[in-house]
Amino acid sequence: MTDQTASLASFTSEAATKKLRKRHRAERRFQMYGIAAILFALAFLVFLFASIFSQGWTAFLQTSIKLPVDFSQEVINPSGNPDAEDEIFQANYVKLAREALYKQLGVDPNDRKARRAANELLSRGVDVQLRDMVLRDPSIIGTTEDVWLLASDNADALMKGSIDRETPSERRQVSDEQIAWIDQLVDAGNMKKRFNTGLFVNGASSNPETAGLGVALIGSFFMMLTVVLLAVPLGVCAALYLEEYAPKGKIADTIEVNINNLAAVPSIVFGLLGLAVFINFFGLPRSASLVGGLVLTLMTLPTIIITTRAAIRAVPPSIREAALGVGASKMQLIGHHVLPLSLPGILTGTIIGLVQALGETAPLLMIGMVAFVVDYPTTPLEPATGLPVQIYMWASSAERGFVERTAGATMVLLAFLIVMNSLAVYLRNRFERKW
């Protein structure tokens, strides 16, 4: 009997050891699956960022040509009246730029073919550059100034390596003669790639080299300002009422379920709502930043309410009981204890909601924020566009120069999102308390 007991114990111990080893192997496999999933996601993330950066970093550089431009008074202001702004505004600045280019390259002004080829080296936006210079400082009329003028899209692409010099001339957008001129200008130090400030200050343009994010940045600022001023106080107040004042019952449960459902509604539905209510019913102007801000406010409210309620609920009941025990009123309890202690969670949820709103495109398309806006909007009621919409518009353009503009604008948007998410993490770590 003793031998049977010992044999049974040995068998049981061996079986338990096998099961334990099997469980440990399963745990190791599960850990490996988790690590593989993380590495797989990181690989895609690295690929995404590498793809965007490889295409977009060149958007922050723009090729320019240094030319001695003669601001001839006969062309700009033939009447001699410095107050004749219409005359100065409508002057033929393209002629001044082209004459300076012919002189720099040694092109015969009577050779029509050579002139046409030389003209293709300059951007079609040089007239705006020169006109703005004269309007800012009319004293340059009648003088000759060295001016860095934007090169054309094809010349810029050649300088950045997007056009292969080895491609046969019949299939290349830049002729051999133009390449020789470009090399001549580069060797003389009169053609180089410079930081592209126009990417951040220019408005919409049909020319890639003169297109910028200026209007989109201002439009996004107005929209985010509207969201902050409306969604944050409304969301926090609604969460406070539902968590601290609303009687528990079917009505409160129904409201909570609907708020959770609204957080999962596709953003384009909010765009349809904004189109029907704010534009068609209230008559607010299409493409206005205010309408975009109102639509994004509706979309962001559920997120802020849910995160604020979670932050308020995380405050320990002992804090409430202690405050009420020393005679604090309900308002004092909320203002002096609940809100300050739940502030990290509220700030985090608010910033996450703003980040989500900043990256939305579909609702803005529905309310018409795809307008071709050149001038800066000065109020939220003027036509504007947003960063995501500008990226969408550039991505749908056929010109090669807009490819790098699209990636560059995506990098700018990602920078904003990373900064805002980092701010949310910092604020949470800075003010969070452990209980």
Side-chain angles (χ1 to χ4, degrees):
M1 191 70 179
T2 304
D3 293 339
Q4 291 180 351
T5 303
S7 176
L8 181 61
S10 175
F11 176 78
T12 304
S13 176
E14 184 178 352
T17 302
K18 288 182 179 180
K19 288 184 178 180
L20 186 61
R21 289 175 180 172
K22 182 177 180 181
R23 188 176 69 183
H24 287 168
R25 287 197 298 268
E27 290 179 355
R28 285 194 293 269
R29 283 198 303 270
F30 185 76
Q31 290 178 356
M32 291 177 61
Y33 294 153
I35 294 173
I38 293 174
L39 293 177
F40 190 69
L42 287 176
F44 268 97
L45 185 63
V46 170
F47 176 78
L48 172 65
F49 276 88
S51 175
I52 294 174
F53 291 158
S54 63
Q55 297 183 41
W57 73 269
T58 54
F60 298 93
L61 299 174
Q62 187 64 43
T63 303
S64 299
I65 305 174
K66 183 181 178 181
L67 297 175
V69 179
D70 178 16
F71 290 90
S72 171
Q73 183 162 352
E74 288 74 15
V75 175
I76 300 175
N77 188 212
S79 67
N81 181 11
D83 296 327
E85 292 187 2
D86 291 342
E87 186 179 72
I88 296 175
F89 190 86
Q90 298 174 6
N92 189 359
Y93 294 100
V94 175
K95 177 183 177 181
L96 302 179
R98 288 177 176 177
E99 288 178 351
L101 181 63
Y102 301 155
K103 187 180 297 184
Q104 188 82 291
L105 298 177
V107 174
D108 183 3
N110 297 319
D111 188 344
R112 179 176 299 179
K113 182 179 179 181
R115 284 192 288 113
R116 186 181 301 112
N119 293 342
E120 293 177 357
L121 296 181
L122 286 176
S123 167
R124 286 176 287 179
V126 295
D127 57 334
V128 178
Q129 278 187 274
L130 295 177
R131 183 190 66 203
D132 290 344
M133 285 184 61
V134 174
L135 292 176
R136 285 195 303 267
D137 184 14
S139 65
I140 65 175
I141 298 176
T143 65
T144 300
E145 303 284 341
D146 288 335
V147 182
W148 286 96
L149 296 178
L150 290 176
S152 65
D153 179 32
N154 288 333
D156 182 58
L158 183 74
M159 289 286 291
K160 294 175 178 176
S162 300
I163 295 179
D164 187 2
R165 290 170 176 255
E166 304 303 324
T167 304
S169 58
E170 62 272 10
R171 293 192 291 110
R172 194 175 58 226
Q173 294 90 338
V174 182
S175 66
D176 293 335
E177 184 180 29
Q178 290 171 330
I179 291 179
W181 285 335
I182 290 174
D183 292 338
Q184 174 187 336
L185 291 169
V186 171
D187 293 339
N190 294 322
M191 188 173 188
K192 61 178 64 175
K193 291 176 288 187
R194 310 168 75 215
F195 183 72
N196 186 15
T197 56
L199 180 66
F200 300 96
V201 299
N202 292 344
S205 175
S206 57
N207 304 318
E209 65 273 10
T210 57
L213 296 170
V215 173
L217 290 172
I218 294 178
S220 293
F221 170 77
F222 281 145
M223 286 190 291
M224 290 300 101
L225 184 63
T226 304
V227 174
V228 169
L229 294 178
L230 295 179
V232 175
L234 288 177
V236 172
C237 290
L240 280 172
Y241 175 78
L242 291 174
E243 200 63 33
E244 299 290 339
Y245 290 99
K248 306 303 179 184
K250 292 185 178 180
I251 296 179
D253 291 342
T254 302
I255 293 175
E256 183 173 356
V257 169
N258 284 312
I259 290 175
N260 292 333
N261 289 337
L262 283 175
V265 169
S267 59
I268 195 169
V269 175
F270 290 99
L272 291 170
L273 177 64
L275 178 64
V277 176
F278 299 128
I279 294 178
N280 294 338
F281 184 77
F282 287 107
L284 293 176
R286 286 181 75 94
S287 305
S289 302
L290 177 62
V291 180
L294 292 173
V295 171
L296 295 179
T297 295
L298 296 177
M299 192 188 71
T300 309
L301 263 176
T303 302
I304 295 178
I305 293 174
I306 292 171
T307 55
T308 301
R309 292 190 67 185
I312 294 172
R313 202 177 297 125
V315 176
S318 58
I319 300 293
R320 292 179 169 83
E321 294 169 0
L324 295 175
V326 296
S329 65
K330 189 74 170 179
M331 185 64 70
Q332 289 173 329
L333 166 65
I334 294 172
H336 296 169
H337 301 281
V338 175
L339 269 182
L341 294 175
S342 59
L343 185 61
I346 295 174
L347 290 176
T348 302
T350 299
I351 294 175
I352 291 174
L354 293 177
V355 168
Q356 179 188 3
L358 181 61
E360 285 295 340
T361 305
L364 303 183
L365 295 177
M366 292 303 302
I367 61 173
M369 292 196 71
V370 290
F372 191 87
V373 184
V374 178
D375 299 323
Y376 290 168
T378 56
T379 68
L381 290 173
E382 294 182 5
T385 186
L387 270 175
V389 178
Q390 187 67 71
I391 293 172
Y392 166 79
M393 293 170 63
W394 283 351
S396 59
S397 298
E399 289 85 348
R400 179 185 55 253
F402 281 117
V403 175
E404 68 173 17
R405 284 293 191 281
T406 302
T410 304
M411 291 173 61
V412 174
L413 180 59
L414 286 175
F416 277 110
L417 299 181
I418 291 172
V419 169
M420 294 179 72
N421 276 292
S422 301
L423 179 62
V425 173
Y426 169 77
L427 291 175
R428 187 171 189 86
N429 293 335
R430 174 68 175 80
F431 296 104
E432 188 175 26
R433 295 187 182 183
K434 303 294 183 181
W435 305 102

